Amino acid sequence: MMPGAPVSLNTATADQLDTLPGVGPVLAQHIIDYRTQHGGFRSVDELREVNGIGDRRFADLRNLVRP
């Protein structure tokens, strides 16, 4: 993965998600759980549905991730 490249919500490992600002091991696991339960992310906006992601955190992450 290139530095500065958006992190894929659908393929990133917990360790990769953990590198995002404001995302620790627990939130990384919530993202993976959501992905598993919903068959993946169709858009970055779906990140708002994940337990623990509020408007502020979503604003911080929006440009750093892709589906």
Side-chain angles (χ1 to χ4, degrees), residues 45-66:
D45 286 341
E46 272 190 78
L47 194 55
R48 288 177 182 271
E49 306 297 319
V50 175
N51 186 14
I53 305 257
D55 289 342
R56 189 141 166 219
R57 187 161 286 154
F58 177 77
D60 290 343
L61 294 174
R62 180 175 53 201
N63 295 320
L64 302 176
V65 296
R66 60 184 172 84

Side-chain angles (χ1 to χ4, degrees), residues 9-67:
L9 295 170
N10 285 322
T11 61
T13 64
D15 286 344
Q16 287 170 327
L17 292 168
D18 201 355
T19 66
L20 293 165
V23 177
V26 172
L27 191 50
Q29 190 57 52
H30 285 316
I31 293 170
I32 289 172
D33 291 344
Y34 181 93
R35 175 171 86 195
T36 304
Q37 290 161 6
H38 296 85
F41 287 85
R42 284 172 289 288
S43 74
V44 169
D45 286 341
E46 272 190 78
L47 194 55
R48 288 177 182 271
E49 306 297 319
V50 175
N51 186 14
I53 305 257
D55 289 342
R56 189 141 166 219
R57 187 161 286 154
F58 177 77
D60 290 343
L61 294 174
R62 180 175 53 201
N63 295 320
L64 302 176
V65 296
R66 60 184 172 84

